Amino acid sequence: MTQNTLKTHIQTALTALEALLEQLSGNEIPLDASAPKNIADRSPTEALQNDLKERFVLYAADQGAVVALDPDWVPLFSEAMFGEEMAPDADGALDLMQEISSQGFGTVQSTLAEEGLTLPEVQFDTAAPGQAPPSPDEAAWLVPFTAQRGGGELDGLVLLPDGAEASSDASTTTESAPQEAPQEAAAGADQSSGASQPAGGGAPSSSADESDGVEVSPAAFSELGDEEISGDGDSGTFKLLADVDLEVRVELGRRELPLADVLKLTTGSVVELEKMVGEPLSVYANGRLIAEGEAVVIDEQFGVRITNLASDGHREKAFF
């Protein structure tokens, strides 16, 4: 793969990632990448190995691709995903980076597919700062990049193998698959999720008229006594909640409209959502994000196949 070809694909990927970050955080976060450097003829230097060890490393071992991010990316991602900043050494930081890598790769994969470059399906593993990172022996290209946030700068780097050339050449002669079917499936999933909303309960019936001469007296209750908890107090916590109903909602996307535009909506009007085609659907429990998935059809009904789970700490908030 030539440097110019790679540079074009990287710029397309950065544009897609900027849109994803803006969607998650609500703020523009400009991304900028340096020119790709060919390191195929040079053995990995000790400086590069040390640089990787100081970062969060997202790597696809079977593909030889590596993304290394400065620890200061964790507060940015956590604020975008959960609405609150998380320390880089927090327990859920590694799960957060795993989730972001999955979302980011899915966005880049679908965007480059429209440009004629087909990326293989990969599963990213993560390594925290201080852990032994994967060896970049197979890396052929080094791409440093930066992000602007609040007057500061976050940096990272990407290591890529040189095996994507055949995939790129073959895919440029093939038309990308039509996108109408995923859109219809996603729209159907949104309709089915809307239909699952519980109907509002009716108002309670009026009490008996006190003027009928019914004798009324205060209720008498026996003393409850001292509080006692059986067992160790921990093991039965979730068993007690097993039969509690939770409202699970699947969201296709959102859009804010002025009241004037809402009043103009008629049969056949189209409301454009902020999500791009191919992005996962959001799954909420009690109004909190617990997972993401893709729309599927089961017999004659729509469903959602879970593809990514939120961190354990974030999911537990949905229960309490």
Side-chain angles (χ1 to χ4, degrees), residues 183 187 190 252-258 261-275:
Q183 290 177 340
D190 185 62
L252 173 63
R254 297 185 181 185
R255 180 67 185 270
E256 292 186 4
L257 292 175
D261 291 345
V262 175
L263 295 176
K264 294 178 183 179
L265 294 177
T266 60
T267 302
S269 298
V270 176
V271 178
E272 183 180 356
L273 303 178
E274 87 284 7
K275 283 197 175 183

Side-chain angles (χ1 to χ4, degrees), residues 1-319:
M1 179 179 292
T2 64
Q3 185 182 44
N4 290 336
T5 301
L6 182 58
K7 187 175 182 180
T8 300
H9 291 323
I10 289 175
Q11 188 57 50
T12 301
L14 288 180
T15 302
L17 291 175
E18 284 181 348
L20 175 62
L21 291 175
E22 182 177 359
Q23 173 191 332
L24 292 175
S25 65
N27 301 312
E28 291 187 2
I29 302 178
L31 299 174
D32 183 49
S34 303
K37 301 177 182 178
N38 193 324
I39 59 174
D41 298 332
R42 288 178 288 172
S43 60
T45 63
E46 183 177 354
L48 179 58
Q49 289 280 15
N50 293 334
D51 196 15
L52 292 178
K53 185 174 290 188
E54 295 176 356
R55 302 171 183 265
F56 280 93
V57 178
L58 316 173
Y59 59 95
D62 55 342
Q63 300 295 329
V66 175
V67 179
L69 299 175
D70 186 82
D72 288 338
W73 285 83
V74 172
L76 170 65
F77 291 149
S78 60
E79 184 178 13
M81 293 288 290
F82 308 139
E84 56 187 21
E85 290 192 358
M86 176 187 297
D89 57 351
D91 291 338
L94 206 58
D95 292 337
L96 172 65
M97 301 302 281
Q98 181 83 24
E99 172 66 19
I100 287 294
S101 66
S102 178
Q103 288 197 31
F105 179 75
T107 299
V108 172
Q109 186 182 42
S110 60
T111 302
L112 290 182
E114 298 175 359
E115 301 293 326
L117 178 64
T118 302
L119 298 182
E121 295 291 340
V122 299
Q123 180 65 40
F124 282 93
D125 295 319
T126 56
Q131 296 180 354
S135 175
D137 292 336
E138 299 181 3
W141 296 96
L142 170 64
V143 186
F145 64 92
T146 58
Q148 303 298 326
R149 185 205 181 199
E153 186 175 86
L154 303 176
D155 63 86
L157 59 90
V158 177
L159 297 173
L160 296 173
D162 202 24
E165 183 173 6
S167 174
S168 175
D169 293 340
S171 61
T172 54
T173 61
T174 306
E175 295 183 355
S176 59
Q179 300 297 320
E180 289 79 8
Q183 290 177 340
E184 293 174 0
D190 185 62
Q191 294 175 359
S192 64
S193 65
S196 65
Q197 300 295 326
S205 58
S206 59
S207 59
D209 192 347
E210 294 182 359
S211 63
D212 292 340
V214 178
E215 182 179 356
V216 178
S217 61
F221 298 97
S222 60
E223 293 293 330
L224 296 178
D226 296 334
E227 180 179 358
E228 294 183 2
I229 301 177
S230 61
D232 56 9
D234 293 326
S235 59
T237 300
F238 279 97
K239 291 183 179 179
L240 295 175
L241 301 177
D243 294 329
V244 176
D245 291 333
L246 293 179
E247 177 187 317
V248 177
R249 175 168 53 88
V250 179
E251 181 178 274
L252 173 63
R254 297 185 181 185
R255 180 67 185 270
E256 292 186 4
L257 292 175
L259 179 59
D261 291 345
V262 175
L263 295 176
K264 294 178 183 179
L265 294 177
T266 60
T267 302
S269 298
V270 176
V271 178
E272 183 180 356
L273 303 178
E274 87 284 7
K275 283 197 175 183
M276 299 176 62
V277 175
E279 288 188 33
L281 308 181
S282 301
V283 182
Y284 294 86
N286 280 7
R288 294 185 180 274
L289 179 68
I290 62 169
E292 291 184 330
E294 58 185 5
V296 296
V297 177
I298 306 173
D299 294 331
E300 296 182 358
Q301 293 181 310
F302 281 102
V304 176
R305 178 187 291 116
I306 301 300
T307 56
N308 298 299
L309 292 174
S311 64
D312 293 340
H314 189 66
R315 276 185 288 153
E316 286 179 1
K317 291 182 180 180
F319 304 140

